[in-house]
């Protein structure tokens, strides 16, 4: 990645609440929560903000009146990764005796705008952490989500090297010591490496080019951003180190092959299925998706208010394959 490239990053720190389940009293089930505190650093279009908010609200949208397939079905596959741990008090389904994965509720608790870009337009890992602190605003148990506009330039963040997003499990405090603080960064998919990060809304930069599609919202930057945000959230929410720490779980189940956790539960379930958006996908072909006959936008799932999204596939440990809404 050239240091002069403009970039848009999302820095997401996941601090999930402990899980405790009780089948006998559903109203008192304190599921794992993912409270997001958003910081919009620089100018953004209304569509970009709306798409991010609508996608986040769609993760737990299970209403029967909504159209299928739903974004929430995709998120349930991510949640299923919690089944590999002996989460204390995780309940069994009464009829089938099937282990039910803990739910991860996601919601936005704060949204703050800094169009003047207090820390400037040059962002490194160091001052990026200052933006995270700004987003947290001394709140505990929140997930700071920092959006950097296309005017911001990045240095030393390693994007465009076979990835459009990255995450880590620690950051350095003011004394320079590492502390547990998981985060994910996502580059601007339209401005930075669009041939890799904005496909299939932009022509691919390598391999079979395949078809390009119109984004469901009408803005490439908004919908490609959702794809990369979804990838980062899925990868870090399924990370075993994060799960074991934040969900207060026991060690992974013992398998028949020894004292190893099941290889079906991989660490980066969305990255493994990169460029797969539907069944039957192959290089240059998204797989089965739909195109709205009115807007021409490509999609594979529905969210709140009948909105349409194109989201990446995720590795399903049960079927040992990439799961897609279609």
């Amino acid at each position: 990645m050239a240091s002069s490239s403009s970039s848009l990053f999302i820095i997401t720190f996941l601090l999930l609440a402990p899980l405790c389940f009780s089948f006998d009293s559903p109203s008192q089930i304190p599921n794992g929560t993912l409270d997001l505190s958003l910081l919009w650093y620089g100018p953004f279009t209304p569509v970009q903000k709306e798409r991010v908010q609508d996608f986040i609200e769609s993760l737990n949208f299970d209403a029967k009146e909504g159209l299928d397939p739903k974004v929430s079905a995709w998120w349930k596959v991510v949640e299923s990764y919690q089944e590999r741990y002996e989460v204390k008090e995780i309940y069994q389904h009464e009829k089938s005796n099937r282990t039910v994965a803990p739910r991860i509720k996601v919601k936005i608790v704060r949204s703050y705008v800094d169009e003047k870009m207090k820390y400037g337009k040059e962002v490194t890992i160091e001052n990026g952490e200052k933006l995270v602190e700004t987003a947290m605003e001394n709140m505990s148990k929140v997930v700071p989500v920092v959006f950097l506009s296309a005017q911001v330039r990045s240095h030393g963040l390693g994007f465009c090297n076979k990835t459009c997003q990255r995450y880590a499990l620690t950051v350095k405090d003011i004394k320079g010591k590492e502390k547990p603080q998981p985060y994910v960064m996502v580059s601007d998919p339209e401005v930075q490496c669009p041939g890799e990060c904005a496909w299939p809304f932009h022509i691919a930069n390598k391999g079979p080019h395949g078809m390009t599609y119109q984004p469901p919202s009408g803005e490439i930057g908004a919908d490609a951003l959702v794809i990369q945000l979804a990838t980062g959230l899925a990868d870090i929410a399924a990370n075993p180190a994060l799960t074991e720490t934040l969900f207060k779980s026991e060690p992974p189940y013992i398998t028949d092959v020894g004292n190893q956790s099941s290889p079906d539960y991989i660490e980066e379930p969305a990255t493994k299925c990169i460029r797969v958006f539907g069944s039957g996908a192959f290089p240059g072909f998204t797989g089965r998706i739909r195109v709205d006959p009115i807007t021409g936008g490509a999609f594979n799932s529905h969210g709140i208010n009948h909105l349409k999204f194109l989201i990446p596939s995720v590795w399903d440990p049960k079927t040992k394959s990439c799961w897609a809404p279609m």
Side-chain angles (χ1 to χ4, degrees):
M1 176 192 67
S3 62
S4 60
S5 298
S6 297
S7 53
L8 164 65
F9 306 98
I10 306 165
I11 305 176
T12 307
F13 286 67
L14 303 183
L15 301 173
L16 304 183
L19 292 175
C20 180
F21 287 83
S22 172
F23 187 82
D24 297 328
S25 181
S27 62
Q28 297 181 5
I29 295 177
N31 292 331
T33 59
L34 190 58
D35 292 339
L36 308 181
S37 178
L38 310 185
L39 169 60
W40 298 94
Y41 192 71
F44 295 86
T45 69
V47 175
Q48 285 177 313
K49 294 180 180 179
E50 290 172 4
R51 290 301 279 181
V52 167
Q53 179 173 327
D54 291 338
F55 170 71
I56 292 170
E57 292 183 7
S58 297
L59 290 172
N60 302 121
F61 179 71
D62 296 325
K64 293 182 179 180
E65 65 268 18
L67 298 175
D68 291 322
K70 293 184 176 66
V71 171
S72 59
W74 174 88
W75 187 243
K76 286 180 180 178
V77 177
V78 177
E79 292 172 330
S80 73
Y81 273 70
Q82 310 313 319
E83 294 180 5
R84 66 180 150 175
Y85 288 91
E86 297 177 356
V87 181
K88 293 180 179 179
E89 296 188 40
I90 186 171
Y91 61 86
Q92 303 285 328
H93 193 278
E94 280 189 333
K95 295 182 179 180
S96 65
N97 198 36
R98 176 177 59 85
T99 301
V100 179
R103 298 306 309 273
I104 303 176
K105 294 182 178 179
V106 188
K107 64 180 179 179
I108 300 172
V109 297
R110 178 178 180 266
S111 184
Y112 175 69
V113 179
D114 181 10
E115 291 191 350
K116 295 183 179 180
M117 293 171 282
K118 176 181 178 181
Y119 296 101
K121 298 181 180 181
E122 304 292 325
V123 174
T124 62
I125 293 178
E126 288 74 17
N127 61 7
E129 292 177 358
K130 294 181 179 179
L131 295 177
V132 172
E133 294 175 359
T134 300
M136 292 183 66
E137 201 184 37
N138 297 320
M139 293 187 293
S140 62
K141 296 183 179 180
V142 298
V143 179
V145 181
V146 180
F147 298 91
L148 306 186
S149 76
Q151 296 184 8
V152 178
R153 296 181 178 180
S154 65
H155 299 279
L157 296 176
F159 292 109
C160 298
N161 184 21
K162 297 182 179 180
T163 183
C164 302
Q165 47 79 35
R166 56 173 285 181
Y167 71 87
L169 300 175
T170 61
V171 295
K172 292 183 179 180
D173 60 19
I174 57 176
K175 297 182 179 181
K177 296 182 179 180
E178 288 190 346
K179 62 178 181 179
Q181 192 73 75
Y183 70 89
V184 60
M185 299 181 183
V186 182
S187 64
D188 178 353
E190 184 178 17
V191 176
Q192 188 166 308
C193 306
E196 182 172 353
C197 302
W199 189 83
F201 306 131
H202 187 283
I203 189 171
N205 62 344
K206 58 183 177 181
H209 290 172
M211 292 183 60
T212 56
Y213 296 88
Q214 293 295 320
S217 73
E219 283 194 16
I220 293 178
D223 286 293
L225 178 61
V226 167
I227 291 174
Q228 300 307 331
L229 172 59
T231 300
L233 286 177
D235 283 350
I236 200 167
N239 186 280
L242 184 74
T243 300
E244 186 173 359
T245 299
L246 300 179
F247 285 88
K248 309 299 182 183
S249 61
E250 299 296 336
Y253 291 121
I254 303 301
T255 66
D256 294 335
V257 295
N259 297 330
Q260 300 292 329
S261 59
S262 172
D264 301 334
Y265 293 94
I266 64 174
E267 291 191 9
E268 298 179 330
T271 296
K272 181 177 178 62
C273 298
I274 189 171
R275 294 197 177 193
V276 176
F277 295 91
S279 58
F282 55 83
F285 175 57
T286 59
R288 182 189 175 197
I289 61 176
R290 297 178 183 174
V291 175
D292 189 305
I294 298 177
T295 66
F299 70 98
N300 60 6
S301 56
H302 300 85
I304 61 171
N305 302 323
H306 303 294
L307 293 173
K308 299 176 176 66
F309 294 92
L310 185 67
I311 56 179
S313 293
V314 62
W315 182 261
D316 185 346
K318 294 183 176 63
T319 63
K320 301 178 183 179
S321 62
C322 291
W323 186 95
M326 295 183 178

